[in-house]
Amino acid sequence: MNPIESSDELVTRYHRQALRKLLVLVVSVVGVIVVVGLFSVSVYDSVSIMEAYGIIWDHIMGVQHAPRSTEWWADRFIWNTVMPRVVAAIVAGASLAAAGALMQSLMNNPLADPYSTGISSGACFGAIMALVLGLTINSLSGQSGMVVNAFLGSLIPVAIVILISKRMPVSPASLILVGTALSYFFSSMVTYMMVITDADTLQNAYIWQVGTLDTVTWESIPLMFGVTVVGSAFVMFLSRQLNILSLGDANAKTLGLDVEKFRIVCLLVMAVMTASIVCFTGTIGFLGLVAPHLVRLLIGSDNRFVIPIAMAMGAFILVLADYIAMSVSDVPVGVVMSIIGSPIFFALILWQKKGYGTVY
Amino acid sequence: MSIIDEFIDRYHRLSRRRLMFAVLFFVVAAVSVIMSLGFGTYHISLTEALNTFIDHISGGVVDRKDDLYVWDIRLPRAIGAAFIGAGLAMGGVVMQNLMQNPLAEPYTMGVSSGAFLGAVLSMMLGFSVVPALSGDMAVVCNAFLFSLIPVAIITLVSRFKKLSPTAIILLGIAIMYVFSSITQYLMVTAEAETLASAYHWRVGSLSKVTWENLPFLVVFVTVISVILYTFHRKLDAMYSGDRCAQTLGVNPSLLRGVCLVLVSLMTAAVVSFTGTIGFIGLVGPHIARMFVGSSNKLLMPSAVAFGAAFLILADTVAKVSGVNGLPVGVISSMVGGPLFLYILIKKNRKVWM
């Protein structure tokens, strides 16, 4: 970088970076909207893409169509099959990306993701206990039993971390290591259950673990949506503190942040956010780890921007991947995401420019 | 006594204690190899097993059946467990130093996902890299070759571009995701039975270690561990960051490149025979570090001994629990997870940096 720069250059550079942020955000949001249209048309192909938008808009506005008209049928199809899936994908994508960004800042570690404290293995433990052993909390059966089990299971590791946090240093390294120990413990139980069960149950359990949006219905949305809105508002509210934290614990303390308490509170919020998603969809990987990195590579690592833009980007990636997964049929959404996303991620790491986001 | 003398005295006491722990780890490892001869599904008492062992060495086999179990099944398995545990722990120490990251482990570069993809391709599609092979050998060979792909890609890329540790980790993750997503696709679309056998492969077992394939394993782990040990001072320097290392006369990118290849080769050799046994490579070094400190001169041998002892003991439990019992990977995590947690809280001090 040239040390002597005129103020004009600085101003143009600043404008260019601001524009870049805006551009990434707009592309993500527009991307989501386009995919929603394509998705609707692929399910009910006797309407055009613009008509599909019209129908969705009408439904939101509360317009009633004449029974058994084209619009009426289109409305039923789109609203009952496409929309729950799409809304779930948007909410899940945004939530996992925000949780990922939060964890990476919280732990000061590029390898951290929402599952780092053992949430995913806890959730698997709960869900697979329901599936393999038929053990559920308050004896719910079938799908809802699994959901409740997974939700509670995913909170166990974090609860343990919080309980023992008084008796150990709450540094990023030790938190991560405790989380890793817990997740090894729970996944060993999962593995054990998977090994003792018969091949068919193992298959079901494996598919749950890989993650899918197939099973999401309108009933799942309120919890996901509510938790995500509250959680991500909270995270955005704390983005300045997260920026301070990235200077390291000692500096953050000097600047007046109660690092230990802050970390525990954030961990709890992140856990509830992730749990509310994972219990419905299974453990969809890749997104929580990679979406924040993608955004940082594109716009730099100021959390005030990273978090909202990562949410938009996460929603876009998950919706798009789910659309592709559904059109190709039978491919799990996580697989689509990794196969398309990883090469892009790879290229971005290689061609990152100095000045914009170097990853940490 | 002056304050300085007191400090020196305290330092010596600390070093002595650390050395003692290192020796202790080795003793435990040696004892557990011998102990493990007496445990398994075939009933034979420990003393009888030891007698059989001594008889075989002195040339007079008394009971053919006892000899078969003790000498041909249990001994290679115990030695294999020792070397696998040792190799994984060594790989973990080196990776954590190289990447300056407490979460790094031998599998961070994507070795395990590569191996698993190779194995699954062979099991499900009958694809073999070396066409002449089939069956179990094809699985092993595929796993070995595929597990080296990630490190090959990263080495190739680093010829054109200087990579920071973070960039290497992230590239490793990107490759890992591609591999594991292909594996997941194959697994999800496979028949339930095939999926089950692939899953069992991944969970890992030491039952496939025999006298025939043991030399391969031993040579790989020993040679590479010795080479890595000669780098112990340079790795100490790496621990404190690339810039510090440079000031101390180490070429960080070169050292990193060389060590990555070595660790990957060693891990590939281990994984292709046993499946991906987790936990030891990540947590073994941390547990050893809590007892002997982070100077690699002592840490490397201690971690090696700890890894060996731990895997043998875990495998002993696995053997006792029977054919359909607990897999060794499950036991090591089930016992090791809480153990690690306990030590972490009990010691209540920084384990990293």
Side-chain angles (χ1 to χ4, degrees):
Chain A
M1 207 188 289
N2 188 359
I4 307 155
E5 274 175 311
S6 66
S7 58
D8 280 354
E9 264 176 72
L10 275 178
V11 171
T12 34
R13 167 133 19 112
Y14 177 78
H15 282 306
R16 219 181 298 143
Q17 290 194 356
L19 199 65
R20 217 177 147 88
K21 288 173 185 132
L22 194 65
L23 196 68
V24 177
L25 185 64
V26 169
V27 166
S28 306
V29 173
V30 172
V32 169
I33 295 171
V34 170
V35 176
V36 172
L38 290 174
F39 219 138
S40 315
V41 176
S42 77
V43 170
Y44 192 74
D45 52 9
S46 53
V47 291
S48 76
I49 188 161
M50 292 320 285
E51 281 167 344
Y53 287 128
I55 286 160
I56 295 169
W57 181 250
D58 285 348
H59 193 109
I60 296 169
M61 290 290 108
V63 177
Q64 298 288 332
H65 298 290
R68 290 174 219 297
S69 64
T70 324
E71 286 85 6
W72 188 80
W73 280 113
D75 181 66
R76 289 188 62 117
F77 262 96
I78 291 172
W79 203 257
N80 292 331
T81 58
V82 180
M83 287 313 276
R85 232 186 137 109
V86 165
V87 173
I90 292 171
V91 173
S95 184
L96 289 174
L102 177 65
M103 274 302 271
Q104 286 163 5
S105 306
L106 218 51
M107 300 296 169
N108 253 323
N109 194 319
L111 276 180
D113 74 354
Y115 303 146
S116 287
T117 46
I119 291 180
S120 58
S121 51
C124 285
F125 174 67
I128 286 165
M129 198 149 82
L131 203 63
V132 173
L133 307 179
L135 278 177
T136 53
I137 316 279
N138 64 359
S139 62
L140 289 164
S141 62
Q143 188 64 22
S144 54
M146 264 177 79
V147 169
V148 174
N149 258 23
F151 185 79
L152 295 175
S154 60
L155 294 177
I156 298 174
V158 179
I160 296 175
V161 168
I162 290 172
L163 276 179
I164 62 178
S165 65
K166 283 210 175 65
R167 307 192 52 185
M168 58 167 216
V170 195
S171 72
S174 50
L175 278 181
I176 288 181
L177 291 174
V178 168
T180 315
L182 288 170
S183 71
Y184 266 111
F185 178 70
F186 282 105
S187 40
S188 71
M189 311 263 248
V190 171
T191 310
Y192 179 58
M193 287 191 278
M194 301 272 264
V195 171
I196 56 166
T197 190
D198 60 292
D200 288 314
T201 320
L202 191 150
Q203 191 172 33
N204 284 336
Y206 189 82
I207 290 172
W208 189 87
Q209 217 176 353
V210 169
T212 173
L213 292 164
D214 286 345
T215 47
V216 178
T217 55
W218 276 120
E219 280 93 71
S220 336
I221 304 292
L223 177 69
M224 282 168 89
F225 187 72
V227 173
T228 303
V229 168
V230 175
S232 52
F234 183 79
V235 177
M236 273 190 251
F237 181 68
L238 294 175
S239 53
R240 277 166 195 279
Q241 277 90 326
L242 287 172
N243 281 346
I244 294 176
L245 205 60
S246 69
L247 301 172
D249 278 21
N251 285 326
K253 268 182 205 165
T254 329
L255 291 167
L257 184 65
D258 184 347
V259 175
E260 273 93 25
K261 200 186 275 173
F262 180 71
R263 211 167 256 136
I264 293 296
V265 171
C266 286
L267 215 56
L268 192 62
V269 173
M270 197 273 319
V272 177
M273 274 172 87
T274 314
S276 70
I277 303 293
V278 165
C279 65
F280 293 113
T281 63
T283 50
I284 296 177
F286 188 80
L287 198 65
L289 180 67
V290 174
H293 282 307
L294 275 179
V295 171
R296 266 188 221 107
L297 285 164
L298 291 170
I299 66 150
S301 30
D302 185 343
N303 278 308
R304 286 176 302 163
F305 304 106
V306 169
I307 290 165
I309 296 178
M311 287 175 73
M313 178 83 99
F316 175 45
I317 295 176
L318 194 56
V319 170
L320 181 65
D322 191 41
Y323 172 62
I324 297 172
M326 202 163 167
S327 350
V328 185
S329 88
D330 253 7
V331 189
V333 59
V335 171
V336 174
M337 219 156 35
S338 324
I339 286 187
I340 299 172
S342 303
I344 298 174
F345 186 49
F346 198 99
L348 274 173
I349 298 164
L350 285 186
W351 288 302
Q352 58 180 310
K353 290 204 194 88
K354 284 249 158 58
Y356 298 123
T358 33
V359 229
Y360 280 90
Chain B
M1 196 193 272
S2 75
I3 275 201
I4 295 177
D5 283 341
E6 204 184 305
F7 268 119
I8 293 176
D9 189 46
R10 198 183 293 166
Y11 175 75
H12 281 307
R13 245 182 297 151
L14 184 67
S15 318
R16 261 203 307 279
R17 218 187 55 202
R18 288 179 166 175
L19 191 65
M20 222 175 61
F21 274 121
V23 173
L24 186 74
F25 284 145
F26 271 100
V27 172
V28 173
V31 171
S32 35
V33 169
I34 297 168
M35 287 273 292
S36 77
L37 293 180
F39 292 97
T41 36
Y42 177 69
H43 285 289
I44 179 169
S45 76
L46 186 57
T47 37
E48 277 172 340
L50 290 181
N51 282 333
T52 319
F53 175 69
I54 293 163
D55 286 345
H56 190 104
I57 292 176
S58 55
V61 175
V62 182
D63 187 332
R64 290 293 303 270
K65 202 175 173 202
D66 284 358
D67 187 62
L68 175 77
Y69 275 96
V70 172
W71 186 265
D72 286 331
I73 296 178
R74 285 184 192 170
L75 189 61
R77 187 165 168 163
I79 298 174
F83 276 87
I84 290 163
L88 288 174
M90 184 70 172
V93 172
V94 175
M95 287 298 284
Q96 287 166 6
N97 274 296
L98 283 182
M99 300 298 169
Q100 294 139 18
N101 192 319
L103 276 183
E105 55 162 337
Y107 300 148
T108 302
M109 304 293 304
V111 173
S112 57
S113 59
F116 192 34
L117 177 61
V120 166
L121 280 177
S122 158
M123 282 186 221
M124 289 183 183
L125 308 179
F127 169 80
S128 169
V129 183
V130 182
L133 297 173
S134 64
D136 272 356
M137 270 322 283
V139 174
V140 170
C141 186
N142 261 14
F144 184 75
L145 292 174
F146 268 82
S147 60
L148 294 176
I149 294 177
V151 77
I153 296 177
I154 287 170
T155 312
L156 204 70
V157 168
S158 65
R159 301 203 133 248
F160 304 108
K161 204 171 157 71
K162 206 169 167 310
L163 295 172
S164 69
T166 310
I168 293 182
I169 290 180
L170 292 176
L171 288 181
I173 290 179
I175 300 171
M176 190 193 79
Y177 268 113
V178 172
F179 279 7
S180 54
S181 61
I182 299 173
T183 313
Q184 276 180 355
Y185 176 66
L186 290 172
M187 298 271 277
V188 169
T189 49
E191 307 252 316
E193 297 293 330
T194 328
L195 187 145
S197 69
Y199 193 84
H200 285 260
W201 187 89
R202 198 194 66 176
V203 171
S205 158
L206 296 172
S207 60
K208 282 163 274 178
V209 181
T210 59
W211 283 121
E212 280 88 62
N213 52 35
L214 191 61
F216 176 78
L217 201 65
V218 171
V219 168
F220 257 88
V221 171
T222 315
V223 171
I224 292 178
S225 295
V226 169
I227 298 174
L228 287 171
Y229 187 68
T230 60
F231 294 146
H232 70 88
R233 278 175 195 284
K234 293 183 175 178
L235 287 169
D236 277 342
M238 288 289 267
Y239 184 72
S240 40
D242 276 19
R243 284 192 192 165
C244 279
Q246 233 155 1
T247 330
L248 293 165
V250 178
N251 179 346
S253 342
L254 183 66
L255 183 67
R256 196 171 284 127
V258 172
C259 287
L260 280 182
V261 173
L262 289 173
V263 171
S264 299
L265 271 174
M266 181 163 73
T267 316
V270 168
V271 164
S272 51
F273 280 107
T274 59
T276 52
I277 296 176
F279 191 82
I280 293 175
L282 177 65
V283 178
H286 286 298
I287 293 183
R289 197 175 281 120
M290 282 185 257
F291 287 100
V292 304
S294 32
S295 161
N296 283 312
K297 192 179 173 187
L298 202 55
L299 174 61
M300 281 177 159
S302 313
V304 160
F306 178 82
F310 192 81
L311 195 59
I312 299 167
L313 292 176
D315 188 46
T316 306
V317 181
K319 281 192 298 184
V320 172
S321 73
V323 185
N324 293 318
L326 294 152
V328 58
V330 171
I331 295 162
S332 63
S333 320
M334 218 178 253
V335 180
L339 174 76
F340 182 55
L341 215 59
Y342 174 75
I343 298 173
L344 207 63
I345 297 168
K346 192 83 185 168
K347 286 265 173 182
N348 197 2
R349 72 160 109 121
K350 281 177 146 180
V351 286
W352 183 259
M353 297 279 175

